[in-house]
Amino acid sequence: MSSVGKGVVVASIGRMLRSRNFSVNAVKIDPYINVDAGTMNPYAHGEVFVTYDGGETDLDLGHYERFLDVELSRKNNITSGQVYLSVIMKERQGEYLGQTVQLIPHVTDEIKRRILETAEGFDVTIVEIGGTVGDYEQLPFLEAARQLRLELGDGVVFVHVAWVPLLKTTREFKTKPLQHSVAELRRYGIQPDAIVVRSERPIDANTARKIALFTNVPQHAIYNSYNVDTIYKVPLLLERQGMGEFLVRRLRLEARAPDYREWEEFVAKLTSPRHVVKVGMCGKYVELPDAYLSIIEALRHAGAALSARPELVWINSVDVERRPDRLHELDVEAVIVLPGFGKRGVEGMIECARYAREGEIPFLGICFGMQLAVVEFARNVVGLKEASTTEVDPDTPHPVVHLAPEQRGIDALGGTMILGNRRIELVPGTLAASLYGSSVAVERHRHRYEVNLEYLPKLVEAGLLVSGWREDVRRVEIIELPGHPFFIATQFHPEFRSRPTRPHPLFLGLIRAALARRLEGKVGARSAASPLQAA
Ligand code: GLN
């Protein structure tokens, strides 16, 4: 079933093979009819992970990128929507030469074609088939997988990830659901070669024996991914159980000793922090932290490098609108105003940016968070009280953030934003340039709106500094406030490029600034009463 941790298991399998220096690729299959995740509500789906080439993909690709330390393409996320769309387009163009176009072989062939295309050039490609065994929409993918095994033989290994619940009343593991899902897989012609049991606690030998007996999988190929304090331990956990060696043997790869030195060092730092930093996370989807998954992971990576554990304080921007005074009670040491869309909660996000600016609290604004920091600055520093973004108020007299020119006239929602990598020039001598230690950066984007250049002279005159410019067209990418201990905001999404052993400079800068401020004893500094509070 979904949310059981398949993505982390897949990423961990990838890490085990990467640690043996094999080149590894990973593909996520989402059986839903949406062409991509871009049009889905974060509550339904969690974060939309953006690839370098502008794919709006499932958040599991983020796990893959972080565990494998690779950059994946939009092609690494296959959905039913994409498959059916291309089969139907081909049919309309007459490419099937008069045949009756059917689920088998035409749809399954298209699935196999897409998998094999992404697998090209890699030692191993891991394919995660999302959903639950037995779902109608998943069937063509299982059928394609069965055929691949038939065609590639030993080149294919099936790993089944299944939840084994621990019954609280009798304190026993129930293997029945797993037995049934394996029976169901076998009905489709797939016999798992290995099983990864997901469970709350380690399973006992008896349970493993029972699983082996009922599933026809030898006991040595039954692995257990029980709950651990960090997902980054899962590769080490499965490795210790011999899964890495099993996969290498089963895939007939060369036997190599794995090297986990960097990974283990990272996990050790992550799990034994010397400091805790309270980071206020302000947005409107805070009930579902998965909506900001890559930002959370980026904070953990940066924290580990600085021996600090980020303690996330979720700030619901809608609540801030009702009770802005509460912000002061949270005593956060850093503030992130999060990405987002639409009107709801916007005033609360603006208030958070103001709180960080006035309270001299280290601040990072990401995408919408940057746009709203500019709105806040225009209102409260420049004095344009009615400034806004046209996304929220199309009739604002001061559209300091507006629709990017190339976005005008686009009416389809799917895949039409400014997406993926853009090169950014960093202005010498700025905080951004010093954090990156470079004069250029390449970062991923997902937006339609941007800073209105007509207002730039006024903003700059009042003290706002543009420290990053898009290289292809002149657009504001990074802003900062000289004089503030750490105030930086970006039009792009830095979180997508953070890696466990290579934390992102902007997140590092934020945590470092929060720690420095604590040493100076400034924690708890309060800002002036807010206008919302007066209202
Ligand atoms: N809604 C804003 C835009 O489209 C910001 C998007 C985001 O935060 N990813 O420009």
Side-chain angles (χ1 to χ4, degrees), residues 338-342 366-369 371 391 417 446-450 491 493:
L338 296 159
F341 293 83
I366 302 176
C367 202
F368 206 27
Q371 297 169 0
E391 177 175 0
M417 282 188 249
R446 182 171 187 251
H447 65 112
R448 291 184 207 283
Y449 294 82
E450 61 182 23
Q491 182 55 78
H493 292 262

Side-chain angles (χ1 to χ4, degrees), residues 254-302:
E254 185 190 318
R256 297 176 189 166
D259 179 356
Y260 283 104
R261 273 171 302 180
E262 271 200 337
W263 196 264
E264 278 175 336
E265 201 181 304
F266 160 70
V267 171
K269 278 194 185 163
L270 186 73
T271 51
S272 55
R274 280 182 286 127
H275 316 278
V276 177
V277 177
K278 278 175 86 173
V279 184
M281 304 278 277
C282 179
K284 68 171 167 182
Y285 302 116
V286 294
E287 294 95 341
L288 184 80
D290 260 8
Y292 310 108
L293 185 64
S294 292
I295 296 175
I296 300 173
E297 296 306 325
L299 283 167
R300 289 189 177 135
H301 305 159

Side-chain angles (χ1 to χ4, degrees), residues 17 20-22 123-124 244-245 247-258:
L17 296 166
R20 291 170 165 80
N21 222 1
F22 292 111
D123 293 329
V124 183
E245 250 169 69
L247 290 171
V248 166
R249 207 171 347 107
R250 224 357 234 88
L251 286 167
R252 308 210 189 291
L253 294 166
E254 185 190 318
R256 297 176 189 166

